[in-house]
Amino acid sequence: MTMMMQIRPHIAISNLMVVVGAVMLLLLQQGRWAEAQPSPGYYPSSKVSSMPFSQWYSNLWGAQHQSLSPDQTSLTLWMDRSSGSGFKSKRAYRNGYFGVSMKVQPGYTAGVNTAFYLSNNEAYPGYHDEIDVELLGTVPGEPYTLQTNVYVRGTGDAHPIVGREMRFHLWFDPAAAFHHYAVLWNPDEIVFLVDDVPVRRYQKKVEATFPEREMWAYGSVWDASDWATDGGRYRSDYRYQPFVSGFKDFKVAGCEVGAPASCSPVPAGPGGGLSAQQTAAMSWAQQRAMVYYYCQDSSKDRSNYPEC
């Protein structure tokens, strides 16, 4: 009896420590997601009106895995064992602002790739250009990864692939609410934005490493199990299907193919390029959230990346 009385307080203390640890972890996660992002001072998304989906986009594949709202302002895509789904812009562009708000699914989503990107892979198969914004699925307890990437003139078709990735663990939970993701592609730079905060600027330093040919805008949900989550360690598990992603606030502005030479690119900032305040916000995002940058990867063959 005395021994039991001695043991029980130790058990109670141990249990209390477990609870306290769990609460502290939850508070840390909430603090990370609740951390206020800095004001960029300029909001490109506010300069572009949202449009009905069907005005600029159409289904590309997996039509049976798409659901468009009656007012055409939001689109739901889902992936199951039979298929994913994707859409494509009706027009091609030579530069512009391309944005959409996305929300992904919580829980086990390993291997699932929710993507919004520019590409000309159908026009130049095997030798295409591409600018990617991808939310890569995860396992419970681990954050989603935002991957940005640039492929130029077939580097995404090469063996091995020559990618220019920058990845982030965002300062919010992308499964909790919609957030706006955008690509601003201009003749001299590409800016990736999250809720109008620039997170990456890819400048034209070497002509051969910058996409200059016309591209279309795409969105999709597909199975990227071979590489998306921890290098392919965790794969899509269809016991958790369907994997659902939402898209809304479709924004496109820029120079279409065939537009007159007088068509001006969409400015990245109030003076054309990024302002000092925008650059400071980008530095905050990279210091706070960046988890991988290809130019810092010592395993890369540097001859493939002259811009680094």
Side-chain angles (χ1 to χ4, degrees):
M1 184 68 172
T2 302
M3 183 177 296
M4 289 297 293
M5 291 178 66
Q6 291 175 342
I7 292 175
R8 283 174 179 168
H10 289 291
I11 295 175
I13 291 171
S14 177
N15 290 341
L16 179 60
M17 290 176 66
V18 171
V19 172
V20 169
V23 171
M24 289 179 66
L25 178 60
L26 179 61
L27 290 173
L28 284 171
Q29 290 177 333
Q30 289 176 339
R32 175 178 56 135
W33 287 332
E35 184 175 345
Q37 67 186 41
S39 169
Y42 184 79
Y43 301 87
S45 69
S46 69
K47 313 298 181 183
V48 183
S49 298
S50 298
M51 65 186 76
F53 173 82
S54 299
Q55 182 175 341
W56 294 106
Y57 290 99
S58 60
N59 169 258
L60 180 63
W61 61 286
Q64 72 279 14
H65 287 68
Q66 293 186 12
S67 176
L68 183 62
S69 65
D71 61 3
Q72 298 197 13
T73 61
S74 63
L75 179 72
T76 302
L77 303 185
W78 63 91
M79 182 185 90
D80 59 24
R81 192 182 299 275
S82 66
S83 179
S85 188
F87 59 88
K88 177 185 177 182
S89 65
K90 295 178 179 179
R91 299 176 178 86
Y93 299 83
R94 61 175 190 255
N95 58 65
Y97 175 94
F98 307 87
V100 69
S101 293
M102 296 188 290
K103 180 183 177 184
V104 289
Q105 180 168 306
Y108 189 102
T109 55
V112 181
N113 186 333
T114 299
F116 182 67
Y117 60 104
L118 308 181
S119 179
N120 51 29
N121 64 311
E122 294 176 278
Y124 304 100
Y127 193 62
H128 82 288
D129 308 291
E130 189 168 313
I131 304 171
D132 294 329
V133 174
E134 300 169 301
L135 287 168
L136 306 180
T138 188
V139 295
E142 296 296 328
Y144 265 86
T145 297
L146 172 70
Q147 174 165 280
T148 65
N149 202 358
V150 179
Y151 293 124
V152 184
R153 294 185 178 271
T155 59
D157 307 295
H159 299 285
I161 289 175
V162 179
R164 292 174 167 84
E165 303 92 344
M166 184 181 285
R167 303 185 190 117
F168 302 84
H169 287 164
L170 294 166
W171 53 95
F172 56 81
D173 179 4
F178 279 92
H179 292 269
H180 200 73
Y181 306 84
V183 171
L184 185 53
W185 169 42
N186 281 336
D188 59 349
E189 68 178 8
I190 300 164
V191 180
F192 297 84
L193 303 109
V194 178
D195 290 338
D196 284 311
V197 173
V199 297
R200 179 183 183 183
R201 175 169 53 190
Y202 182 85
Q203 296 175 295
K204 183 179 180 180
K205 297 179 179 179
V206 182
E207 188 168 347
T209 65
F210 195 86
E212 297 178 320
R213 298 177 294 181
E214 77 280 7
M215 288 193 278
W216 288 256
Y218 293 79
S220 63
V221 176
W222 60 288
D223 190 333
S225 287
D226 288 346
W227 60 269
T229 307
D230 199 6
R233 178 184 177 189
Y234 299 101
R235 305 180 65 85
S236 295
D237 187 339
Y238 287 102
R239 291 178 299 175
Y240 301 101
Q241 69 177 18
F243 301 102
V244 180
S245 297
F247 297 76
K248 66 178 186 177
D249 299 326
F250 301 95
K251 295 175 181 281
V252 176
C255 298
E256 298 178 17
V257 171
S262 59
C263 181
S264 299
V266 177
L274 293 179
S275 68
Q277 189 171 350
Q278 287 176 293
T279 301
M282 181 171 66
S283 295
W284 175 89
Q286 292 181 358
Q287 292 170 6
R288 171 68 183 80
M290 188 180 76
V291 295
Y292 177 84
Y293 178 38
Y294 75 102
C295 281
Q296 298 173 352
D297 188 341
S298 60
S299 70
K300 296 283 190 181
D301 181 350
R302 308 297 286 186
S303 66
N304 291 324
Y305 305 98
E307 73 278 9
C308 291

